[in-house]
Amino acid sequence: MGIWFTEKQTANFGITAKVNKILVALKTDFQDLEMLNTEEWGNMLVLDDMVMTTEKDEFVYHEMVAHVPLFTHPNPKRVLVVGGGDGGVIREILKHKSVEKATLVDIDGKVIEYSKKFLPSIAGSLDDPRVEVLIDDGFMYIAKSEREFDVILVDSTEPVGPAVNLFSQGFYAGISRALKDDGIFVAQTDNPWFKADLIHQVFHDVKNIFPVTKLYTANIPTYPSGLWTFTMGSKIHNPLKVKEERFTEIETKYYTPELHFASFALPKFVKELTE
Ligand code: SAM
């Protein structure tokens, strides 16, 4: 039978993956951290029993959380990632030549340490000269920032434990202050099957602050329900009005200019969460 890792996505439903080897299993100052070698998905980072990223399907999430806002902004130079300790979002940000500096603020240095060791294809860009890595609470870091960033990406864990403050209206107000006058922010906002209330709440909190507020989706097989959402708050630029010439050539496996626009077309039961 061997070892199987099961993520209970609700009290009554979950997914399970065959584990070839437990590479790391420890309790950090903030969360339970496991790195598992799985038969289907390669190495898998698990925090507090929730799948964070896997070698096989990580590109979907990291490309979609990064390239939709970065191509919506006309000339992103300063980018901030809150969370994102596995390094995947940073890798995608650096594909944009306009970016001069990308700052990553993750509360848990152990996530960065073990991602570098066991997820080199994902964490490999964290040592790039354009990258600044800070170990800090993203909520506190944002509270000290003022009109500094063109794009802010919130790549945090679920709104429990250390990330609970990262889904509050106060945090989104802080993000607005930390952004420049034409800044854009995107937060991962979970799935509409099991977290509809969260999506509805966050969307309306963001809409109270940002003139342009949109929801878009992507298919992520190892995340709860597989249908994942991202909430964008933008001070000026509209993601649906990006001109064709803005889409410079970058290497991707999921994101395309066509999908940039199509990802905002929502199933009816999801669109209703934004009304
Ligand atoms: N893509 C994943 C998802 O959508 O669930 C998230 C991956 S990333 C590893 C999540 C990161 O958020 C973790 O490294 C965790 O340490 C970090 N995090 C949680 N709360 C935080 C906080 N308050 N400030 C900064 N980072 C935080």
Side-chain angles (χ1 to χ4, degrees):
M1 180 61 179
I3 310 170
W4 289 72
F5 163 72
T6 296
E7 176 181 342
K8 289 192 70 179
Q9 298 174 349
T10 74
N12 319 302
F13 181 76
I15 59 163
T16 194
K18 187 156 186 283
V19 176
N20 296 324
K21 190 165 184 233
I22 298 172
L23 303 166
V24 177
L26 54 80
K27 196 179 260 315
T28 76
D29 293 341
F30 301 95
Q31 50 212 336
D32 290 340
L33 183 153
E34 289 165 307
M35 195 68 79
L36 309 172
N37 175 256
T38 69
E39 185 65 27
E40 191 60 58
W41 301 101
N43 285 355
M44 175 188 279
L45 169 64
V46 174
L47 295 177
D48 284 342
D49 295 326
M50 293 177 280
V51 177
M52 290 292 121
T53 197
T54 82
E55 287 180 311
K56 186 171 175 181
D57 75 344
E58 56 85 13
F59 63 90
V60 179
Y61 175 93
H62 293 131
E63 290 181 14
M64 288 303 283
V65 76
H67 300 314
V68 175
L70 285 168
F71 276 123
T72 298
H73 194 287
N75 187 28
K77 293 180 179 168
R78 282 286 282 119
V79 183
L80 171 69
V81 177
V82 174
D86 55 53
V89 180
I90 287 286
R91 181 196 65 205
E92 295 305 316
I93 290 166
L94 296 180
K95 291 179 182 174
H96 294 258
K97 296 293 165 256
S98 63
V99 172
E100 294 166 356
K101 185 174 177 186
T103 300
L104 180 132
V105 179
D106 198 302
I107 202 166
D108 194 340
K110 292 289 180 201
V111 174
I112 294 165
E113 178 188 341
Y114 288 110
S115 295
K116 283 183 174 178
K117 186 166 181 197
F118 292 109
L119 299 170
S121 63
I122 302 174
S125 303
L126 286 173
D127 293 323
D128 185 284
R130 288 188 285 169
V131 177
E132 173 190 40
V133 175
L134 302 173
I135 307 303
D136 194 1
D137 181 337
F139 188 83
M140 305 306 285
Y141 182 87
I142 283 288
K144 294 177 290 191
S145 304
E146 184 85 30
R147 296 162 80 120
E148 221 176 311
F149 300 102
D150 297 302
V151 174
I152 297 177
L153 306 176
V154 182
D155 177 20
S156 72
T157 39
E158 322 284 295
V160 290
V164 67
N165 288 335
L166 305 184
F167 291 79
S168 64
Q169 180 145 6
F171 180 60
Y172 300 132
I175 284 189
S176 179
R177 273 195 312 278
L179 284 168
K180 293 178 185 170
D181 293 346
D182 69 339
I184 300 173
F185 112 94
V186 165
Q188 71 87 359
T189 40
D190 221 298
N191 79 92
W193 287 95
F194 309 137
K195 293 281 178 59
D197 292 348
L198 174 77
I199 294 171
H200 179 268
Q201 180 64 51
V202 169
F203 188 87
H204 289 86
D205 284 350
V206 173
K207 197 172 177 186
N208 285 338
I209 299 167
F210 288 88
V212 179
T213 300
K214 302 274 185 199
L215 194 76
Y216 64 98
T217 67
N219 163 248
I220 304 173
T222 56
Y223 280 5
S225 88
L227 178 58
W228 210 250
T229 69
F230 303 88
T231 301
M232 176 188 281
S234 176
K235 293 188 175 181
I236 296 179
H237 305 298
N238 185 325
L240 299 178
K241 298 215 169 94
V242 179
K243 295 212 175 356
E244 199 176 325
E245 57 272 20
R246 175 69 186 86
F247 293 105
T248 50
E249 197 55 42
I250 58 168
E251 190 204 329
T252 59
K253 292 196 280 188
Y254 186 90
Y255 177 90
T256 66
E258 295 77 14
L259 197 68
H260 172 107
F261 297 107
S263 66
F264 288 92
L266 303 173
K268 191 166 183 297
F269 81 104
V270 181
K271 191 169 185 328
E272 285 167 356
L273 300 177
T274 67
E275 286 158 357

